[in-house]
Amino acid sequence: MFQKSDGSWVWLKAAGRLPYLALRGVIDDPQSYAVIRRRLYAAYEPLFDLASGDAFWLGDLPEGGTLLFCADASKACALLLLGRYVDRDAARHGGIVQSYCRLVDSRLARLCQAAAISVRLEAIQAESALAGH
């Protein structure tokens, strides 16, 4: 992770201001990170020079949002929402928060199945990428 001048730690670095929502957690798997990393690389497209560890593209969302999964050798990980999450039918789905939770649950389940890992989310935090990429 990158340490910012205010002492906070963030997952991403970018050329300019890049706010995102991080759902932080750990990969709860007895395998070494090297083994887990190979499975993630086989299942998802890696993004280079964006994160302090590994970053994987999980897909674009309607209205311009993107989901990423980041992980590092300590098995710390995060599901990141860049941009906006919009659900025009949120009222029918119980509201925008419930709709977003269903999306996260679905994408995380797909990732865990594809990479044969278990992820335990522990915190939600708004972050801003380290500037100066």
Side-chain angles (χ1 to χ4, degrees):
M1 296 186 66
F2 300 108
Q3 187 172 22
K4 295 173 70 172
S5 61
D6 66 1
S8 63
W9 292 88
V10 297
W11 282 98
L12 301 180
K13 61 182 174 180
R17 187 175 178 273
L18 177 64
Y20 58 92
L21 183 65
L23 283 77
R24 293 173 173 247
V26 295
I27 298 172
D28 196 13
D29 192 290
Q31 297 287 327
S32 71
Y33 184 70
V35 171
I36 293 166
R37 185 175 192 237
R38 281 195 297 274
R39 293 192 307 237
L40 286 166
Y41 267 76
Y44 287 94
E45 179 183 343
L47 302 171
F48 300 101
D49 299 324
L50 180 66
S52 58
D54 294 307
F56 302 91
W57 180 75
L58 300 185
D60 291 329
L61 305 173
E63 308 290 333
T66 298
L67 283 178
L68 303 179
F69 180 75
C70 294
D72 64 23
S74 72
K75 296 186 186 177
C77 65
L79 183 69
L80 308 181
L81 169 64
L82 285 69
R84 294 172 35 150
Y85 176 70
V86 176
D87 181 351
R88 302 255 180 243
D89 295 324
R92 284 195 344 217
H93 299 135
I96 193 72
V97 173
Q98 290 82 359
S99 173
Y100 180 67
C101 288
R102 276 194 298 282
L103 171 76
V104 166
D105 187 50
S106 168
R107 296 290 175 98
L108 193 57
R110 202 177 311 162
L111 174 120
C112 289
Q113 182 178 14
I117 60 174
S118 177
V119 172
R120 184 181 47 194
L121 297 178
E122 299 174 332
I124 300 172
Q125 181 173 327
E127 297 179 355
S128 184
L130 179 68
H133 177 70

